[in-house]
Amino acid sequence: MSAALLALALAAPPDALLTTAERTDFARTGRYDEAVRLCRALAKAHPASARCLEFGRTPEGRPLVALVASAEGRLTPERSRGRPVVLLQGGIHAGEMDGKDAGLVALRELLDRGRKGPLARAVAILVPVLNADGHERFGPNQRPNQAGPEETGWRTTAQNLNLNRDYTKAEAPETRAVLRLLGEWDPVVYADLHVTDGTVIRHDLALLVEPVLEGPEPLRAEARRLQAALLEKLAGHRPLGFYPDFVAPGDPSSGFAAAVAPPRFATGYWAARNRIGLLLEAHSWKDYRTRVEAAGDLVRALLELAAAEGERWLAAAREADAAGARLAGRDVALAFKAGPRQELAEVLGHAWRREPSPIAGRPVTVYERAAPETWRIPFFPEVEPSLTVKAPRAGYLVPAAHAAWVAEKLRIHGIAFREVGEARGREVLAFRVAEAKIAAAPFEGRQRVEAWGEWRPERRDWPRGSLFVPVAQPRSRLVLHLLEPRGPDSLLSWGFFNAHLERKEHVEEYVLEPYARMLLAEEPGLGAEFRRRLADPAFAADAEARLEFFARRHPSWDERMGLYPVYRLEEPPELERGKVPQPTRSGASTTP
């Protein structure tokens, strides 16, 4: 055997550390127990530089595992402080398995390199599969817009939840488990590894980093530098720097648009917590080997950059935390839309045409896969706010009736709050819902709400045990996303307060009729107002609306109807005597 072949043989991993993808020439991917076994085997093979930890359990009882890798042996959250931590996540959608196989292969190689590689200056954490239950709903052709592997898992969990819509509402056990993991390790970069579809293009991958288009400086500047560096390092894969989803679904002529990920998504969520979120979308029509290699190259490039530039990322994250604590009273954008400016983008695609479809009853796109073509199509590179709010000068007050479950949400997000004592007639800003549109069909298990209204001064009481959530804290942007009622990822928008939009007490018609006649006789101004309303044909024809006009003036009318049970405070409440805020492991503060 030649010296070169001997070196290659010595460098080859033992069979026990190979993935099913490698064993089958990337025709197949392994089952979930393989990911757990390889996590433990790699930790056993490198006891000084790797650790396999269990960070949660799925609803069906499967362990959620993460492989921690550091050539310096920084294998606990405490020992990782001061080093850039990069958390790599695969399988949040368990039909998209590239991140699992790419991550296991790349970390195996980097562990073998030891102090000669980026793990000498950076800590890597790999969650090979977050959606473990969905992974084991295993079968062929479950990703019909994807070229391999032969069998995959399912997109959603055993509870039929899409985990990459769950970050703010945090309902799935898997989401809560990974949020605890994030809180404990505080990675400066959280990379979510996906496979995209929807278009037929020749690029291997798309790469998006947050916060790039909006967010605090200098973290935003570092995110832009990181995206540019990764696009350069991965140039051989012809990466795109935007999500390849057409402005008009299915129509290439409509072009592409930049976007800001809302915090229901992993990358948008981590940016709202003043860290860098990274989304990899390998392109589904590339063969599985190509996609895994592209994802593996991304992992290696990201960790190399973390080793070289991670200290600067950490400094930018600290500055973003400090800026978050100064957000009180300032304007904050909570939602965005594409800006009007457009330019031409060159995209490597295929010849296509739009033709009528007797199946869909509308035009559809037909691609000619044998005819490569460079598209020159519109690209909208900018965004502008579609919803901006002014942060309260002090914070938010959550009355005691909702304190227990809201406190659980705040803790899992690492948001500081404290318990306060009873108050009477306190001046607050209250939001009353003037109009609400409740979705007819559920989305991710919840009836979502669009609410319109405005904050107005009122005097309200609250009992002991209510919660004060200050804006002056590092995660203030996330506070606003959760508690501003019109925010698209607020607890109100996710339907957690729908009971407060329901009318619970009614006045029988035979009681209301004479009461209305009495009011009209006693209050001439009311009669004039009623006649003005009758000039509206829709109101005049709606018996229930006419009756409600008077029901709202009856003493039995619920004054809390439509009152959002979270108040804005311009001055902080007094801390209840004897209650001293205590820090939690995730950095939030509560009272004992």
Side-chain angles (χ1 to χ4, degrees), residues 26 31 36 68 78 83 90 130 169 179 182 204 269 285 294 316 324 338 360 364 415 429 452 489 506 510 513 533 571:
F26 294 89
R31 300 296 292 265
V36 176
V68 184
E78 295 72 25
R83 279 285 187 260
L130 183 60
K169 64 188 181 76
L179 288 176
L182 289 164
D204 292 350
Y269 174 81
W285 288 116
V364 297
I415 291 173
L429 291 174
W452 292 267
D489 272 309
H506 295 267
Y510 65 84
E513 274 283 336
R533 294 293 307 275
E571 297 291 338

Side-chain angles (χ1 to χ4, degrees), residues 3 12 14 41 115 153 182 219 255 309 332 337 339 346:
R115 291 184 175 274
L182 289 164
L219 188 66
E309 303 182 9
V332 180
K337 61 184 179 181
E346 289 195 351

Side-chain angles (χ1 to χ4, degrees), residues 23-36:
R23 295 172 188 271
T24 63
D25 197 24
F26 294 89
R28 295 170 48 214
T29 189
R31 300 296 292 265
Y32 182 65
D33 59 356
E34 175 181 274
V36 176

Side-chain angles (χ1 to χ4, degrees), residues 227-236 239:
Q227 182 167 29
L230 287 171
L231 290 173
E232 182 178 351
K233 282 179 172 288
L234 299 170

Side-chain angles (χ1 to χ4, degrees), residues 42-272:
L42 286 166
K44 185 176 180 179
H46 300 274
S49 53
R51 172 189 174 205
C52 183
L53 61 88
E54 180 179 323
F55 64 93
R57 289 265 164 170
T58 70
E60 293 184 342
R62 293 183 175 87
L64 293 171
V65 297
L67 177 65
V68 184
S70 164
E72 297 178 304
R74 297 176 181 266
L75 303 178
T76 66
E78 295 72 25
R79 293 209 63 209
S80 71
R81 300 293 182 246
R83 279 285 187 260
V85 177
V86 175
L87 197 150
L88 309 155
Q89 179 176 278
I92 193 171
H93 296 149
E96 306 169 24
M97 286 293 91
D98 306 23
K100 174 192 69 173
D101 286 322
L104 289 167
V105 172
L107 283 197
R108 184 188 69 209
E109 296 172 358
L110 293 174
L111 283 167
D112 285 341
R113 288 177 62 188
R115 291 184 175 274
K116 296 180 180 179
L119 295 181
R121 295 189 56 80
V123 179
I125 303 174
L126 171 67
V127 176
V129 180
L130 183 60
N131 179 12
D133 288 347
H135 190 289
E136 290 310 278
R137 187 177 169 181
F138 210 68
N141 202 29
Q142 297 191 140
R143 287 274 293 172
N145 309 316
Q146 182 172 297
E150 292 174 1
E151 296 177 291
T152 67
W154 192 254
R155 180 176 181 83
T156 56
T157 69
Q159 296 176 333
N160 208 35
L161 291 173
N162 183 340
L163 296 178
N164 205 29
R165 307 293 184 272
D166 195 48
Y167 279 82
T168 43
K169 64 188 181 76
E171 289 192 289
E174 297 93 335
T175 308
R176 294 195 293 272
V178 80
L179 288 176
R180 285 190 293 269
L181 185 72
L182 289 164
E184 290 169 359
W185 287 87
D186 193 21
V188 70
V189 176
Y190 181 20
D192 199 15
L193 310 179
H194 286 253
V195 182
T196 193
D197 51 30
T199 60
V200 182
I201 54 179
R202 290 179 285 134
H203 300 265
D204 292 350
L205 55 88
L207 180 68
L208 292 86
V209 178
E210 302 276 2
V212 163
L213 296 175
E214 71 86 30
E217 297 286 2
L219 188 66
R220 183 177 166 189
E222 291 301 329
R224 289 195 297 265
R225 284 168 55 98
L226 172 59
Q227 182 167 29
L230 287 171
L231 290 173
E232 182 178 351
K233 282 179 172 288
L234 299 170
H237 293 290
R238 300 172 295 188
L240 291 172
F242 52 84
Y243 195 95
D245 208 3
F246 296 126
V247 172
D251 184 359
S253 67
S254 65
F256 297 109
V260 173
R264 72 187 63 169
F265 297 102
T267 48
Y269 174 81
W270 205 233

Side-chain angles (χ1 to χ4, degrees), residues 145-456:
N145 309 316
Q146 182 172 297
E150 292 174 1
E151 296 177 291
T152 67
W154 192 254
R155 180 176 181 83
T156 56
T157 69
Q159 296 176 333
N160 208 35
L161 291 173
N162 183 340
L163 296 178
N164 205 29
R165 307 293 184 272
D166 195 48
Y167 279 82
T168 43
K169 64 188 181 76
E171 289 192 289
E174 297 93 335
T175 308
R176 294 195 293 272
V178 80
L179 288 176
R180 285 190 293 269
L181 185 72
L182 289 164
E184 290 169 359
W185 287 87
D186 193 21
V188 70
V189 176
Y190 181 20
D192 199 15
L193 310 179
H194 286 253
V195 182
T196 193
D197 51 30
T199 60
V200 182
I201 54 179
R202 290 179 285 134
H203 300 265
D204 292 350
L205 55 88
L207 180 68
L208 292 86
V209 178
E210 302 276 2
V212 163
L213 296 175
E214 71 86 30
E217 297 286 2
L219 188 66
R220 183 177 166 189
E222 291 301 329
R224 289 195 297 265
R225 284 168 55 98
L226 172 59
Q227 182 167 29
L230 287 171
L231 290 173
E232 182 178 351
K233 282 179 172 288
L234 299 170
H237 293 290
R238 300 172 295 188
L240 291 172
F242 52 84
Y243 195 95
D245 208 3
F246 296 126
V247 172
D251 184 359
S253 67
S254 65
F256 297 109
V260 173
R264 72 187 63 169
F265 297 102
T267 48
Y269 174 81
W270 205 233
R273 280 182 62 158
N274 300 327
R275 303 295 183 264
I276 296 173
L278 186 152
L279 173 65
L280 170 70
E281 293 280 359
H283 196 267
S284 61
W285 288 116
K286 295 296 180 178
D287 64 86
Y288 193 51
R289 175 191 289 275
T290 298
R291 299 201 320 262
V292 170
E293 288 177 350
D297 287 345
L298 176 278
V299 170
R300 296 177 189 91
L302 176 59
L303 290 172
E304 287 169 1
L305 288 167
E309 303 182 9
E311 290 185 7
R312 197 171 62 243
W313 302 347
L314 290 169
R318 289 192 294 269
E319 290 193 42
D321 284 346
R326 300 190 297 268
L327 210 60
R330 300 188 180 186
D331 288 340
V332 180
L334 297 183
F336 297 85
K337 61 184 179 181
R341 186 175 74 82
Q342 64 174 286
E343 55 193 39
L344 283 181
E346 289 195 351
V347 177
L348 303 177
H350 301 268
W352 60 277
R353 65 185 184 277
R354 298 280 283 175
E355 63 180 38
S357 167
I359 305 300
R362 56 174 171 77
V364 297
T365 300
V366 177
Y367 294 97
E368 297 179 17
R369 299 286 297 277
E373 183 176 281
T374 298
W375 300 340
R376 291 174 176 81
I377 57 177
F379 177 60
F380 299 85
E382 298 171 349
V383 298
E384 57 187 34
S386 57
L387 174 65
T388 300
V389 301
K390 187 177 291 292
R393 287 199 291 267
Y396 297 88
L397 191 289
V398 181
H402 293 284
W405 71 265
V406 172
E408 181 184 358
K409 299 287 186 192
L410 297 175
R411 288 191 191 99
I412 202 69
H413 291 302
I415 291 173
F417 62 92
R418 71 176 191 243
E419 194 174 303
V420 297
E422 181 181 22
R424 295 285 182 182
R426 175 68 186 263
E427 184 170 310
V428 303
L429 291 174
F431 185 92
R432 289 186 177 269
V433 177
E435 181 183 355
K437 181 180 178 182
I438 300 178
F443 176 67
E444 292 306 312
R446 305 205 64 85
Q447 302 295 134
R448 283 184 53 82
V449 179
E450 283 187 89
W452 292 267
E454 56 185 68
W455 295 98
R456 293 181 181 274

